[in-house]
């Protein structure tokens, strides 16, 4: 069965949780006790309808305030597809959660309240999806029942989003616009007769039609070593294997490889997972690799194909989305985590602040505040093996850690 990872995004009260709850309800994915709890709570609040947001908002504060605070992951299946949905918050102070949810998703659903149209958070979420290079974006124009199912209102929102898309650097994005009402169920699972002017598919059918390929586009193979396997048992006394997850491209027995940072060369002798051996491993596979030569390899090293070496650098230029209440400042020291590698880093320059409404950049800001995005230079304490984010998502991203608090302070995308 195909597995599709989806992130939701949108401003406060655009109806993200309600939409997911409606999908769960219409696909009969809610258990009887969960459905009964939703019915009871809706009656207690005096609603004459089911409050579907209760299906996803798990925290007490979320249910009391009617908002989403933390990322909730929802799992359900149809006969065609298995879905994993990250329901992310809409408040501006929780934008960092939206980045987390979208970073591992193949599809993003950006909700827009038909009454309010495109607002500041819509710009921000659309920009972040472009920054993360999420290929398929669904613009769900919600609450169409509150604007009398107006085609004119829908087209107005569509034109504004398409104008934004035309200014984006990432042009390989597939945009799909769907008018719907999550509360009433219009165009969610079934097509609505109230919007006969809409010629597309309902939301669920459209999602089922999408490809569930890995989010990381095909590029050069990158195999960061997570651990060295030395059983030292009677059966495997001389066994030396290298365990990790393969990114970017495939790896096969017989491939000539280079080990970084030593630049030692060898050949792939075997590829296995537990006791199963394979001639080839596909990207995304967690495997153990053995080599023809007895070379010195340890955690943090990287195995790549000959002729496909990444850059080895101690200076990085990156776009950073800042997630900490403490501002990012020039000369501040942080830790960064790049794959399995950790290193100390110093901010040497904040060259620009990027406006998320696609209006341009502000040059030479003194700092980056919570939820701001900017271009930054970092000096690293040891060499890292990097690609640009455009070339290889997994090897072109890193996280920034505040050493004072151990909080994840930001996420970076290498330029």
């Amino acid at each position: 069965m195909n597995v599709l990872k989806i992130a939701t995004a949108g401003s406060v009260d655009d109806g993200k949780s309600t939409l997911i709850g409606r999908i769960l309800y219409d696909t009969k994915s809610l258990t009887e006790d969960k459905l009964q709890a939703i019915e009871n709570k809706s009656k207690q609040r005096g609603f004459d309808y089911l409050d579907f947001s209760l299906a996803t908002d798990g925290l007490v504060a979320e249910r009391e305030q009617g908002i989403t605070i933390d990322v909730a992951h929802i799992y359900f299946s149809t006969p065609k597809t298995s879905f994993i949905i990250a329901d992310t918050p809409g408040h501006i102070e929780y934008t960092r959660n939206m980045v987390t949810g979208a970073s591992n998703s193949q599809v993003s659903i950006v909700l827009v309240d038909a009454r309010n149209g495109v607002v500041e958070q819509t710009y921000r979420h659309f920009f972040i999806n472009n920054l993360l290079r999420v290929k398929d974006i669904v613009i769900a124009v919600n609450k169409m029942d509150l604007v009398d199912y107006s085609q004119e209102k829908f087209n107005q929102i569509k034109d504004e989003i398409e104008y934004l898309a035309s200014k984006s650097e990432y042009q390989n994005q597939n945009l799909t616009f769907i008018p719907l009402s999550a509360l009433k169920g219009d165009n969610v699972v079934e097509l609505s007769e109230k919007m006969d002017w809409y010629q597309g598919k309902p939301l669920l059918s459209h999602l089922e039609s999408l490809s569930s390929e890995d989010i990381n586009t095909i590029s050069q193979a990158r195999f960061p070593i997570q651990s060295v396997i030395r059983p030292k048992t009677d059966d495997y006394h001389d066994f030396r294997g290298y365990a990790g997850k393969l990114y970017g491209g495939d790896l096969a027995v017989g491939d000539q490889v280079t080990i970084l940072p030593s630049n030692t060369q060898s050949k792939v002798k075997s590829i296995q997972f537990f006791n199963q051996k394979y001639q080839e491993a596909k990207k995304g596979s967690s495997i153990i690799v053995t080599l023809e030569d007895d070379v010195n390899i340890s955690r943090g090293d990287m195995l790549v194909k000959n002729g496909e070496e990444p850059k080895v650098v101690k200076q990085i230029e990156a776009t950073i989305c800042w997630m900490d209440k403490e501002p990012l400042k020039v000369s501040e020291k942080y830790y960064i985590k790049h794959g399995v590698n950790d290193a100390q880093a110093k901010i040497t320059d904040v060259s620009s602040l990027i406006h998320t409404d696609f209006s341009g950049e502000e040059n030479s800001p003194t700092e980056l505040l919570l939820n701001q995005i900017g271009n930054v230079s970092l000096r690293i304490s040891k060499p890292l093996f990097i690609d640009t984010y455009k070339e290889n998502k997994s090897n072109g991203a890193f996280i920034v850690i505040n050493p004072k608090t151990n909080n994840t302070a930001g996420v970076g995308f290498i330029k």
Side-chain angles (χ1 to χ4, degrees), residues 13 20 24 29 43 48 76 147 209 213 221 247 273 296 319 409:
D13 296 330
I20 297 170
L24 296 175
S29 300
K43 288 178 181 178
D48 58 356
F76 75 99
V147 294
S209 70
E213 294 179 355
Y247 298 98
F273 180 73
N296 182 24
T319 301

Side-chain angles (χ1 to χ4, degrees), residues 147-186:
V147 294
D148 297 324
Y149 301 99
S150 168
Q151 183 178 7
E152 181 182 357
K153 185 67 176 177
F154 172 76
N155 287 336
Q156 178 183 337
I157 293 170
K158 180 180 178 182
D159 290 343
E160 192 166 351
I161 294 292
E162 287 180 335
Y163 174 71
L164 284 179
S166 69
K167 299 168 70 175
S168 170
E169 179 187 350
Y170 180 46
Q171 290 295 312
N172 294 327
Q173 210 165 46
N174 301 320
L175 285 178
T176 303
F177 296 85
I178 302 178
L180 54 84
S181 169
L183 188 63
K184 304 291 185 181
D186 297 300

Side-chain angles (χ1 to χ4, degrees), residues 61-307:
E62 292 178 326
R63 296 193 297 268
E64 288 178 347
Q65 300 177 47
I67 64 172
T68 301
I69 296 173
D70 198 4
V71 178
H73 288 89
I74 297 95
Y75 304 82
F76 75 99
S77 298
T78 66
K80 296 181 180 179
T81 308
S82 179
F83 295 96
I84 303 172
I85 301 182
D87 180 26
T88 63
H91 283 71
I92 185 171
E93 61 265 37
Y94 300 129
T95 301
R96 54 192 172 185
N97 299 46
M98 181 263 160
V99 176
T100 303
S103 64
N104 290 309
S105 298
Q106 295 140 307
V107 183
S108 187
I109 302 174
V110 179
L111 275 84
V112 180
D113 188 325
R115 299 169 301 172
N116 302 327
V118 177
V119 296
E120 181 185 0
Q121 277 294 76
T122 313
Y123 290 130
R124 183 175 286 104
H125 289 155
F126 188 73
F127 181 90
I128 290 172
N129 275 302
N130 279 267
L131 180 64
L132 293 172
R133 306 181 84 79
V134 180
K135 189 172 183 180
D136 287 289
I137 306 291
V138 177
I139 306 298
V141 183
N142 192 25
K143 304 188 180 182
M144 289 296 295
D145 54 308
L146 300 181
V147 294
D148 297 324
Y149 301 99
S150 168
Q151 183 178 7
E152 181 182 357
K153 185 67 176 177
F154 172 76
N155 287 336
Q156 178 183 337
I157 293 170
K158 180 180 178 182
D159 290 343
E160 192 166 351
I161 294 292
E162 287 180 335
Y163 174 71
L164 284 179
S166 69
K167 299 168 70 175
S168 170
E169 179 187 350
Y170 180 46
Q171 290 295 312
N172 294 327
Q173 210 165 46
N174 301 320
L175 285 178
T176 303
F177 296 85
I178 302 178
L180 54 84
S181 169
L183 188 63
K184 304 291 185 181
D186 297 300
N187 286 343
V188 178
V189 174
E190 301 291 342
L191 280 174
S192 171
E193 297 178 355
K194 298 171 184 175
M195 289 177 279
D196 53 4
W197 44 266
Y198 171 66
Q199 301 300 310
K201 298 177 181 178
L203 177 62
L204 184 62
S205 296
H206 171 72
L207 294 175
E208 288 180 321
S209 70
L210 294 177
S211 169
S212 58
E213 294 179 355
D214 190 86
I215 60 170
N216 297 321
T217 54
I218 296 175
S219 56
Q220 291 91 349
R222 302 289 183 250
F223 187 63
I225 307 303
Q226 293 186 14
S227 62
V228 180
I229 309 298
R230 293 295 311 276
K232 294 186 178 180
T233 62
D234 290 339
D235 292 336
Y236 299 95
H237 189 272
D238 296 321
F239 183 88
R240 183 189 294 268
Y242 309 103
K245 187 172 182 178
L246 179 63
Y247 298 98
D250 302 338
L251 193 66
V253 172
D255 281 343
Q256 299 285 343
V257 294
T258 298
I259 298 93
L260 300 172
S262 66
N263 283 315
T264 307
Q265 296 191 354
S266 187
K267 183 188 291 186
V268 176
K269 180 179 180 181
S270 69
I271 298 172
Q272 63 188 77
F273 180 73
F274 285 112
N275 59 347
Q276 298 293 319
K277 290 191 175 182
Y278 302 92
Q279 284 299 113
E280 184 179 40
K282 300 294 184 182
K283 64 185 177 76
S285 303
S286 294
I287 53 175
I288 296 173
V289 173
T290 64
L291 301 177
E292 294 282 359
D293 304 290
D294 187 10
V295 295
N296 182 24
I297 300 178
S298 58
R299 175 180 168 84
D301 292 353
M302 181 178 285
L303 190 152
V304 300
K305 292 181 182 179
N306 288 359

Side-chain angles (χ1 to χ4, degrees), residues 120 123-124 127-128 164 167 352-363 365 368 371-375:
E120 181 185 0
Y123 290 130
R124 183 175 286 104
F127 181 90
I128 290 172
L164 284 179
K167 299 168 70 175
S352 63
L353 170 66
I354 302 172
H355 297 302
T356 55
D357 60 356
F358 296 92
S359 62
E361 301 179 5
E362 176 185 326
N363 292 326
L368 287 183
N371 293 321
Q372 288 187 333
I373 299 172
N375 292 316

Side-chain angles (χ1 to χ4, degrees), residues 14-75:
D14 280 350
K16 298 179 296 300
S17 298
T18 300
L19 175 62
I20 297 170
R22 165 59 75 174
I23 293 175
L24 296 175
Y25 178 77
D26 285 356
T27 57
K28 296 180 172 54
S29 300
L30 292 172
T31 59
E32 286 295 327
D33 59 333
K34 186 71 172 180
L35 183 57
Q36 188 63 51
I38 293 172
E39 291 175 351
N40 293 340
K41 194 66 176 180
S42 298
K43 288 178 181 178
Q44 289 177 15
R45 293 181 174 180
F47 298 154
D48 58 356
Y49 58 85
L50 295 180
D51 183 1
F52 292 115
S53 68
L54 296 169
T56 60
D57 290 338
L59 300 177
V60 173
E62 292 178 326
R63 296 193 297 268
E64 288 178 347
Q65 300 177 47
I67 64 172
T68 301
I69 296 173
D70 198 4
V71 178
H73 288 89
I74 297 95
Y75 304 82

